[in-house]
Amino acid sequence: MSIRSSNIIALDCDGVLLDNAVAYAIAWIRAFGEQPTLQEPQAYWPMDRWGIPRLSGQQLDQFRSVFDEEFWSTIPAIDGALESCHHLVHLGYELVCVTALDERNLNARTRNLRDLSFPVAEVIATDNQISHKSPKAAWLNRRKPVAFVDDFAPYLIGVSDEIHKALIVRDPVGSPNVGDALKQADSTHRDLKQFVEDWDTTMCLRPCRGRSQ
């Protein structure tokens, strides 16, 4: 599928398309054979949500071992995310997932999205280390999507002003999306569904379907 840069909307994966908090609990069950107890349903980080202690030594190795191909290819979708993506495609956009993920897990992540029927044209893996700007910025600034949607404000740093930067402000307990971090965003939304509703009704200039670039 060819990608026309002016019609691209770039989407983060975990926390925008896929529910890594649920997947984290499933990983705990696989590693230790017990269901973790929900401690704070509005916690941003999965460890805080499930009250998972900081592990070390053999326990940490055991937990890390289940973050394998099965884990990265079976994370469930966030409610409403699939329908929202199909609506964007209906409006004439092409979707690219830009995810901060180890390259070795890219095929599993791509299969995960395909199996869930997400209409993404391409999945891009970037580094996850933040220095003076987002590790996603290089790809975004080169391809210049019309919009980029992420749920982690530091990943908006260094992204071109030509790109609309939309921040999903979810799960407020322990969230990094507070204070000055919010200044990185051009708009904020509670989830992808709200972004699509806002984009469709108030923010977007819809692309002309089939136009040449």
Side-chain angles (χ1 to χ4, degrees):
M1 181 182 296
S2 64
I3 293 180
R4 299 166 291 173
S5 61
S6 62
N7 284 10
I8 293 173
I9 290 182
L11 305 170
D12 176 41
C13 195
D14 295 311
V16 175
L17 301 179
L18 301 182
D19 195 335
N20 59 327
V22 170
Y24 199 89
I26 294 171
W28 185 266
I29 294 170
R30 286 181 62 203
F32 301 110
E34 59 182 24
Q35 171 72 46
T37 302
L38 183 64
Q39 298 290 329
E40 176 48 75
Q42 291 190 309
Y44 181 90
W45 300 107
M47 284 185 63
D48 298 331
R49 181 172 299 199
W50 297 105
I52 301 299
R54 293 197 175 276
L55 304 176
S56 61
Q58 183 178 354
Q59 279 192 318
L60 180 58
D61 292 340
Q62 185 173 343
F63 193 36
R64 284 176 172 170
S65 71
V66 301
F67 287 82
D68 52 11
E69 185 172 351
E70 178 180 346
F71 173 84
W72 292 110
S73 61
T74 57
I75 300 175
I78 289 176
D79 289 345
L82 179 61
E83 295 80 2
S84 297
C85 287
H86 279 286
H87 186 62
L88 287 173
V89 171
H90 176 72
L91 292 177
Y93 293 102
E94 293 182 274
L95 307 183
V96 175
C97 174
V98 183
T99 179
L101 185 74
D102 193 305
E103 185 76 24
R104 65 184 175 181
N105 297 316
L106 178 59
N107 287 340
R109 167 133 293 176
T110 301
R111 185 166 65 255
N112 191 176
L113 293 170
R114 298 281 189 265
D115 288 348
L116 292 171
S117 299
F118 275 100
V120 294
E122 190 175 2
V123 184
I124 303 297
T126 74
D127 189 7
N128 61 6
Q129 298 300 312
I130 300 170
S131 53
H132 61 287
K133 65 180 181 179
S134 166
K136 301 182 180 184
W139 187 92
L140 293 165
N141 294 342
R142 183 172 64 253
R143 296 297 292 271
K144 289 186 170 55
V146 66
F148 170 51
V149 185
D150 206 303
D151 70 324
F152 186 53
Y155 282 165
L156 305 181
I157 298 171
V159 176
S160 171
D161 290 340
E162 299 177 51
I163 301 167
H164 182 94
K165 296 177 285 294
L167 180 65
I168 302 301
V169 183
R170 62 169 180 84
D171 304 318
V173 178
S175 172
N177 302 324
V178 295
D180 288 344
L182 295 176
K183 296 178 182 178
Q184 302 295 328
D186 297 312
S187 64
T188 58
H189 316 269
R190 67 175 176 271
D191 53 21
L192 184 61
K193 180 180 179 181
Q194 188 186 59
F195 163 77
V196 172
E197 291 170 354
D198 293 344
W199 183 258
D200 187 17
T201 58
T202 64
M203 293 188 293
C204 75
L205 296 173
R206 297 187 185 182
C208 298
R209 299 180 188 179
R211 69 183 178 185
S212 60
Q213 300 296 317

